[in-house]
PDB file of all heavy atoms in Angstrom:
ATOM      1  N   PRO A 178      14.596  11.561 -19.694  1.00 54.00           N
ATOM      2  CA  PRO A 178      15.816  12.392 -19.535  1.00 54.00           C
ATOM      3  C   PRO A 178      16.047  12.995 -18.167  1.00 54.00           C
ATOM      4  O   PRO A 178      16.101  14.219 -18.012  1.00 54.00           O
ATOM      5  CB  PRO A 178      15.560  13.506 -20.576  1.00 54.00           C
ATOM      6  CG  PRO A 178      14.105  13.618 -20.612  1.00 54.00           C
ATOM      7  CD  PRO A 178      13.531  12.253 -20.457  1.00 54.00           C
ATOM      8  N   ILE A 179      16.297  12.038 -17.189  1.00 53.00           N
ATOM      9  CA  ILE A 179      16.535  12.544 -15.849  1.00 53.00           C
ATOM     10  C   ILE A 179      17.864  13.342 -15.773  1.00 53.00           C
ATOM     11  O   ILE A 179      18.007  14.264 -15.037  1.00 53.00           O
ATOM     12  CB  ILE A 179      16.626  11.289 -14.874  1.00 53.00           C
ATOM     13  CG1 ILE A 179      15.182  10.778 -14.594  1.00 53.00           C
ATOM     14  CG2 ILE A 179      17.251  11.715 -13.505  1.00 53.00           C
ATOM     15  CD1 ILE A 179      15.176   9.553 -13.763  1.00 53.00           C
ATOM     16  N   ALA A 180      18.854  12.929 -16.578  1.00 55.00           N
ATOM     17  CA  ALA A 180      20.138  13.558 -16.551  1.00 55.00           C
ATOM     18  C   ALA A 180      20.031  15.040 -16.867  1.00 55.00           C
ATOM     19  O   ALA A 180      20.795  15.856 -16.446  1.00 55.00           O
ATOM     20  CB  ALA A 180      21.115  12.855 -17.507  1.00 55.00           C
ATOM     21  N   TRP A 181      19.068  15.343 -17.793  1.00 58.00           N
ATOM     22  CA  TRP A 181      18.980  16.736 -18.216  1.00 58.00           C
ATOM     23  C   TRP A 181      18.211  17.543 -17.228  1.00 58.00           C
ATOM     24  O   TRP A 181      18.166  18.828 -17.316  1.00 58.00           O
ATOM     25  CB  TRP A 181      18.274  16.739 -19.531  1.00 58.00           C
ATOM     26  CG  TRP A 181      18.834  15.881 -20.538  1.00 58.00           C
ATOM     27  CD1 TRP A 181      18.204  14.853 -21.139  1.00 58.00           C
ATOM     28  CD2 TRP A 181      20.138  15.829 -21.094  1.00 58.00           C
ATOM     29  NE1 TRP A 181      19.061  14.121 -22.036  1.00 58.00           N
ATOM     30  CE2 TRP A 181      20.227  14.757 -21.996  1.00 58.00           C
ATOM     31  CE3 TRP A 181      21.278  16.661 -20.945  1.00 58.00           C
ATOM     32  CZ2 TRP A 181      21.391  14.533 -22.731  1.00 58.00           C
ATOM     33  CZ3 TRP A 181      22.420  16.400 -21.602  1.00 58.00           C
ATOM     34  CH2 TRP A 181      22.462  15.330 -22.498  1.00 58.00           C
ATOM     35  N   THR A 182      17.549  16.894 -16.228  1.00 66.00           N
ATOM     36  CA  THR A 182      16.553  17.688 -15.373  1.00 66.00           C
ATOM     37  C   THR A 182      17.264  18.125 -14.050  1.00 66.00           C
ATOM     38  O   THR A 182      17.052  19.214 -13.559  1.00 66.00           O
ATOM     39  CB  THR A 182      15.369  16.876 -15.051  1.00 66.00           C
ATOM     40  OG1 THR A 182      15.778  15.675 -14.429  1.00 66.00           O
ATOM     41  CG2 THR A 182      14.560  16.567 -16.351  1.00 66.00           C
ATOM     42  N   THR A 183      18.103  17.238 -13.431  1.00 72.00           N
ATOM     43  CA  THR A 183      18.657  17.577 -12.164  1.00 72.00           C
ATOM     44  C   THR A 183      20.115  17.373 -12.077  1.00 72.00           C
ATOM     45  O   THR A 183      20.831  18.179 -11.556  1.00 72.00           O
ATOM     46  CB  THR A 183      18.025  16.901 -10.964  1.00 72.00           C
ATOM     47  OG1 THR A 183      18.115  15.472 -11.232  1.00 72.00           O
ATOM     48  CG2 THR A 183      16.541  17.169 -10.810  1.00 72.00           C
ATOM     49  N   THR A 184      20.622  16.166 -12.620  1.00 74.00           N
ATOM     50  CA  THR A 184      22.017  15.903 -12.525  1.00 74.00           C
ATOM     51  C   THR A 184      22.903  16.990 -13.267  1.00 74.00           C
ATOM     52  O   THR A 184      23.913  17.414 -12.685  1.00 74.00           O
ATOM     53  CB  THR A 184      22.386  14.477 -13.125  1.00 74.00           C
ATOM     54  OG1 THR A 184      21.612  13.532 -12.394  1.00 74.00           O
ATOM     55  CG2 THR A 184      23.820  14.215 -13.030  1.00 74.00           C
ATOM     56  N   ILE A 185      22.502  17.412 -14.449  1.00 75.00           N
ATOM     57  CA  ILE A 185      23.312  18.365 -15.198  1.00 75.00           C
ATOM     58  C   ILE A 185      23.197  19.815 -14.475  1.00 75.00           C
ATOM     59  O   ILE A 185      24.297  20.407 -14.351  1.00 75.00           O
ATOM     60  CB  ILE A 185      22.777  18.395 -16.641  1.00 75.00           C
ATOM     61  CG1 ILE A 185      23.345  17.129 -17.272  1.00 75.00           C
ATOM     62  CG2 ILE A 185      23.353  19.648 -17.381  1.00 75.00           C
ATOM     63  CD1 ILE A 185      23.073  17.077 -18.739  1.00 75.00           C
ATOM     64  N   PRO A 186      22.062  20.280 -14.103  1.00 78.00           N
ATOM     65  CA  PRO A 186      21.993  21.564 -13.378  1.00 78.00           C
ATOM     66  C   PRO A 186      22.879  21.498 -12.069  1.00 78.00           C
ATOM     67  O   PRO A 186      23.629  22.395 -11.746  1.00 78.00           O
ATOM     68  CB  PRO A 186      20.583  21.779 -13.075  1.00 78.00           C
ATOM     69  CG  PRO A 186      19.886  21.070 -14.123  1.00 78.00           C
ATOM     70  CD  PRO A 186      20.670  19.810 -14.434  1.00 78.00           C
ATOM     71  N   ALA A 187      22.799  20.357 -11.343  1.00 79.00           N
ATOM     72  CA  ALA A 187      23.548  20.298 -10.064  1.00 79.00           C
ATOM     73  C   ALA A 187      25.085  20.198 -10.425  1.00 79.00           C
ATOM     74  O   ALA A 187      25.906  20.711  -9.734  1.00 79.00           O
ATOM     75  CB  ALA A 187      23.113  19.013  -9.333  1.00 79.00           C
ATOM     76  N   SER A 188      25.400  19.567 -11.535  1.00 79.00           N
ATOM     77  CA  SER A 188      26.777  19.497 -12.015  1.00 79.00           C
ATOM     78  C   SER A 188      27.318  20.932 -12.319  1.00 79.00           C
ATOM     79  O   SER A 188      28.479  21.241 -12.041  1.00 79.00           O
ATOM     80  CB  SER A 188      26.988  18.574 -13.205  1.00 79.00           C
ATOM     81  OG  SER A 188      26.591  17.214 -12.890  1.00 79.00           O
ATOM     82  N   ALA A 189      26.454  21.705 -12.864  1.00 79.00           N
ATOM     83  CA  ALA A 189      26.884  23.136 -13.211  1.00 79.00           C
ATOM     84  C   ALA A 189      27.179  23.862 -11.906  1.00 79.00           C
ATOM     85  O   ALA A 189      28.162  24.634 -11.814  1.00 79.00           O
ATOM     86  CB  ALA A 189      25.756  23.810 -13.992  1.00 79.00           C
TER      87      ALA A 189
END
Side-chain angles (χ1 to χ4, degrees):
I179 287 175
W181 311 116
T182 60
T183 56
T184 300
I185 288 181
S188 297

